[in-house]
């Protein structure tokens, strides 16, 4: 591919850089494409495991521009190549803390201190998975946390959803468009989801609810074969044979590093206003670390674009 380096580089690898991007999923890398193309020197702290949640995904069928679908890791490679093509510096290390009292800002990475005039936080969010035997091995092999991404793979099949919040209702709702039966497994005898969402789901004849029920184990060698469930009132265990299990018990935003510096809501999602601004001027946010609603690769990329453009404006004004 033709190299088109546009962004300048500071004399020292430690900066000061115009933009430091923390995170290397679709949000961070899209920000990097925009800031480098805007001729801002850009460093991406990618984390030790770069690429975010899409690196754990198999086929992505809902990212525009890939009519045949694209493997999650391939999509991330392409985004990374695109950001590097315009001159982003990629550091495969974790940013451990930021100092926003200093000007330029400081980012601590191991024993090194990098300097940057602006920061884009794009550290994403992690799915909270069930802590039961078999889960990790079967993620992407029948176990998912994203019905809008994976529901079409379960056309004509029987699936289960774990959780009782709005996310579980939304997952179940999407799944009813494809699956023949959607079984919600919930540990209590009442959902915490909004009344409207509950009604919509409970009125759907395809949905069945197993109340007071927990997942004890998931079983399968190369793909999910069955879910072992336990009724926590009677202590009885039984097998539930399903083709898919969607886990919707919450997400954990990657905001720990910014604690007490960047404002978050009570669940740790970074508060955002006026585009991508945080409470600290010059520090912007994009992607799932603030978005607990859509949580899609394409929305993360869109937020990444927004933060990149906001950072460029900020640099121009300051
Ligand atoms: P949530 O509201 O915290 O619900 C999590 C659900 O998972 C709860 O029902 C909880 O059970 C269950 N759970 C937690 N840990 C579990 C475990 N280890 N084993 C089994 N079950 C477990 O999370 P969410 O549904 O992701 O929603 C997060 C926020 O986003 C909420 O404020 C929600 O309203 C909002 N949201 C809104 C929409 C919308 O408006 N369209 C869509 C999605 C999310 P318990 O009930 O027993 O605690």
């Amino acid at each position: 591919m033709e190299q088109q380096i546009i962004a300048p580089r500071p004399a020292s690898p430690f900066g000061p850089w115009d933009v430091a991007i923390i995170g290397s999923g679709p949000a961070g890398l899209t920000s990097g494409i925009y800031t480098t193309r805007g001729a801002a020197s850009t460093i991406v702290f990618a984390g030790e495991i770069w690429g975010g949640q899409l690196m754990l995904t198999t086929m992505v069928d809902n990212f525009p521009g890939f009519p045949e679908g694209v493997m999650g890791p391939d999509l991330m490679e392409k985004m990374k190549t695109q950001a590097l093509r315009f001159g982003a510096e990629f550091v495969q290390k974790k940013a451990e803390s930021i100092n926003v009292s200093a000007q330029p800002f400081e980012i601590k990475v191991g024993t090194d201190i990098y300097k940057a005039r602006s920061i884009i936080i794009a550290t994403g969010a992690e799915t909270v998975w069930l802590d039961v035997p078999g889960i990790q091995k079967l993620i992407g092999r029948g176990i998912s946390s994203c019905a809008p991404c994976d529901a079409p793979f379960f056309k004509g099949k029987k699936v289960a959803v774990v959780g009782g919040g709005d996310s579980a209702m939304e997952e179940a709702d999407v799944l009813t468009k494809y699956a023949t039966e959607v079984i919600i497994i919930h540990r209590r005898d009442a959902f915490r989801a909004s009344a409207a969402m509950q009604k919509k789901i409970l009125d759907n004849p395809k949905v069945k609810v197993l109340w007071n029920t927990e997942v004890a184990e998931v079983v399968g060698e190369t793909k999910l074969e069955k879910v072992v469930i336990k009724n926590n009132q009677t202590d009885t265990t039984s097998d539930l044979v399903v083709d898919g299990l969607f886990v919707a018990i919450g997400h954990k935003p990657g905001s720990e590093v910014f604690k007490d510096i960047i404002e978050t809501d009570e669940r740790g999602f970074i508060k955002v206003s006026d585009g991508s601004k945080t409470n600290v001027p010059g520090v912007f946010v994009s992607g799932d670390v603030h978005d607990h609603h859509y949580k899609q690769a394409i929305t993360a990329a869109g937020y990444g674009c927004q933060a990149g453009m906001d950072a460029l404006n900020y640099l121009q004004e300051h």
Side-chain angles (χ1 to χ4, degrees):
M1 186 184 294
E2 193 192 334
Q3 287 291 314
Q4 290 184 345
I5 303 289
I6 294 170
R9 297 252 158 154
S12 159
F14 299 110
W17 295 83
D18 290 325
V19 186
I21 297 171
I22 305 179
S24 56
L29 292 179
T30 305
S31 292
I33 292 165
Y34 274 77
T35 55
T36 49
R37 285 176 56 80
S41 61
T42 300
I43 186 164
V44 179
F45 297 104
E48 274 143 21
I49 302 171
W50 77 276
Q53 294 189 63
L54 280 191
M55 298 302 271
L56 308 172
T57 311
T58 51
M59 186 58 81
V60 178
D61 266 339
N62 56 6
F63 202 93
F66 297 91
E68 310 300 331
V70 57
M71 296 301 279
D74 292 346
L75 179 59
M76 294 319 301
E77 269 306 334
K78 283 178 193 291
M79 288 192 200
K80 179 181 167 188
T81 304
Q82 201 171 348
L84 296 185
R85 179 177 156 213
F86 300 116
E89 173 78 15
F90 199 79
V91 176
Q92 205 167 324
K93 290 182 184 162
K94 192 174 179 307
E96 284 157 25
S97 61
I98 60 171
N99 176 3
V100 295
S101 313
Q103 280 297 338
F105 301 137
E106 293 176 347
I107 300 112
K108 184 172 177 295
V109 179
T111 52
D112 296 328
I113 303 286
Y114 290 80
K115 292 179 190 294
R117 296 181 186 94
S118 68
I119 292 176
I120 296 175
I121 297 172
T123 40
E126 269 179 76
T127 297
V128 178
W129 294 104
L130 290 164
D131 185 17
V132 299
I135 283 278
Q136 292 300 327
K137 184 173 83 174
L138 293 170
I139 292 170
R141 297 186 159 93
I143 295 189
S144 168
S145 64
C146 180
C149 318
D150 297 334
F153 300 126
F154 296 91
K155 195 167 186 328
K157 299 194 168 166
K158 182 172 164 182
V159 297
V161 174
V162 195
D166 284 324
S167 295
M169 302 301 116
E170 277 197 339
E171 296 283 286
D173 184 41
V174 173
L175 285 161
T176 57
K177 314 279 191 299
Y178 299 91
T180 49
E181 190 176 357
V182 179
I183 299 161
I184 302 180
I185 302 168
H186 184 40
R187 64 184 179 184
R188 291 189 298 122
D189 62 357
F191 289 143
R192 70 169 61 235
S194 64
M197 300 272 281
Q198 290 195 35
K199 180 165 173 16
K200 186 174 179 195
I201 290 303
L202 293 171
D203 284 352
N204 190 317
K206 279 191 178 177
V207 175
K208 181 178 154 193
V209 184
L210 297 176
W211 301 107
N212 301 310
T213 303
E214 295 172 28
V215 173
E217 185 180 353
V218 291
V219 180
E221 274 312 311
T222 53
K223 68 180 185 58
L224 178 68
E225 287 160 19
K226 65 178 183 182
V227 180
V228 182
I229 51 173
K230 189 179 101 179
N231 182 305
N232 56 27
Q233 301 297 298
T234 59
D235 239 359
T236 47
T237 299
S238 56
D239 288 348
L240 178 68
V241 177
V242 283
D243 301 291
L245 178 71
F246 285 73
V247 177
I249 63 170
H251 284 82
K252 188 171 175 293
S255 59
E256 197 60 27
V257 167
F258 315 103
K259 208 171 164 218
D260 303 327
I261 300 170
I262 304 297
E263 267 182 34
T264 65
D265 67 15
E266 63 289 350
R267 287 173 292 146
F269 289 94
I270 291 181
K271 284 190 181 170
V272 63
S273 65
D274 189 15
S276 62
K277 292 181 183 157
T278 67
N279 59 309
V280 177
V283 180
F284 302 90
V285 63
S286 67
D288 290 9
V289 69
H290 77 70
D291 166 32
H292 50 76
H293 189 85
Y294 298 103
K295 301 175 287 199
Q296 300 300 299
I298 187 66
T299 46
Y303 287 127
C305 158
Q306 207 176 26
M309 293 177 80
D310 288 348
L312 290 173
N313 278 340
Y314 170 85
L315 290 166
Q316 202 154 31
E317 283 168 11
H318 295 78

